[in-house]
Amino acid sequence: EVQLVESGGGLVQPGRSMKLSCAASGFTFSNYGMAWVRQAPTKGLEWVATISYDGSSTYYRDSVKGRFTISRDNAKSTLYLQMNSLRSEDTATYYCTTPGPEGYWGQGTLVTVSS
Amino acid sequence: IQMTQSPSLLSASVGDRVTLSCKAGQNINNYLAWYQQKLGEAPKLLIYNANSLQTGIPSRFSGSGSGTDFTLTISSLQPEDVATYFCQQYNSWTTFGGGTKLELK
């Protein structure tokens, strides 16, 4: 059974940092590009960042470039999102997902940026 | 690539045939998925590659279209289909439509 389990969310003050993790199982993680997608409360889905299957290429939406870093450890089947200089508008549930037809999604982890 | 869904809100009765629309800003070569999201849950894949039904999804769901115009059809609406539906393109990175909220009339 495919599982993606996000962790690391919580309450954080504006300007601070937070690192999210996503542990994958049930499929060959190292064969797939991965992405982070977020959803602000009562809003739609918003792509955040993508990383290639081997970690050699990364892509970000403009609003997080220079602040967020996506990375992966294929030996641990784990995806990461390092988030720095957090803003209130980053408040959302963050999902890790395979950005293609496989449609694998985690249950999400809530990040709340507030003082 | 911009994805535009319509309508944003749809009210229908049990048993109705329901059609949701998704338009891409450019040709996405049928690299399109449809997701169902219920309140408090993660998105659930219904359709991939524009018209392929995901395993375990009821056959009342179907997808069609090509190029830039796509449709999700529910042939006979059931109460459990109340949810928000998103389309996603994965031809170039990935982007999502704004969603269609489906409610019972």
Side-chain angles (χ1 to χ4, degrees):
Chain A
E1 178 193 7
V2 169
Q3 280 199 310
L4 293 170
V5 180
E6 301 94 339
S7 60
L11 176 64
V12 62
Q13 293 180 328
R16 303 298 291 265
S17 298
M18 177 174 277
K19 187 172 185 177
L20 306 182
S21 299
C22 172
S25 61
F27 67 105
T28 307
F29 180 74
S30 58
N31 286 353
Y32 290 85
M34 295 294 297
W36 288 98
V37 171
R38 68 186 179 185
Q39 187 171 35
T42 73
K43 301 296 185 182
L45 300 168
E46 181 177 81
W47 167 74
V48 175
T50 294
I51 188 167
S52 59
Y53 71 99
D54 61 355
S56 62
S57 300
T58 56
Y59 313 93
Y60 302 91
R61 70 179 300 106
D62 285 347
S63 62
V64 308
K65 277 181 189 174
R67 299 190 299 123
F68 289 13
T69 302
I70 188 172
S71 62
R72 65 191 298 160
D73 185 336
N74 284 345
K76 295 182 178 180
S77 296
T78 302
L79 178 72
Y80 303 101
L81 186 67
Q82 176 68 45
M83 304 184 293
N84 299 332
S85 304
L86 282 161
R87 306 168 180 168
S88 58
E89 54 264 37
D90 296 319
T91 293
T93 296
Y94 285 72
Y95 296 98
C96 68
T97 178
T98 51
E102 310 82 21
Y104 302 152
W105 288 68
Q107 283 304 301
T109 187
L110 178 61
V111 173
T112 303
V113 184
S114 174
S115 54
Chain B
I1 297 175
Q2 180 134 2
M3 305 298 291
T4 303
Q5 289 186 244
S6 61
S8 56
L9 176 64
L10 181 59
S11 297
S13 301
V14 172
D16 281 355
R17 182 181 182 87
V18 172
T19 300
L20 285 63
S21 173
C22 176
K23 294 183 185 295
Q26 63 188 69
N27 183 4
I28 57 171
N29 297 303
N30 290 8
Y31 291 131
L32 182 105
W34 286 97
Y35 283 89
Q36 177 192 68
Q37 188 179 33
K38 297 183 179 180
L39 201 60
E41 297 182 5
K44 178 181 179 181
L45 180 66
L46 302 175
I47 301 288
Y48 62 95
N49 293 345
N51 56 23
S52 296
L53 188 67
Q54 174 70 343
T55 302
I57 300 302
S59 59
R60 64 179 180 274
F61 291 92
S62 64
S64 63
S66 62
T68 60
D69 291 348
F70 301 90
T71 299
L72 175 70
T73 300
I74 307 174
S75 60
S76 178
L77 186 67
Q78 300 302 303
E80 60 266 31
D81 299 336
V82 169
T84 300
Y85 292 81
F86 294 96
C87 61
Q88 176 205 25
Q89 68 81 18
Y90 44 90
N91 180 68
S92 175
W93 317 137
T94 189
T95 46
F96 298 88
T100 293
K101 186 175 182 179
L102 179 58
E103 63 179 27
L104 288 179
K105 191 179 292 183

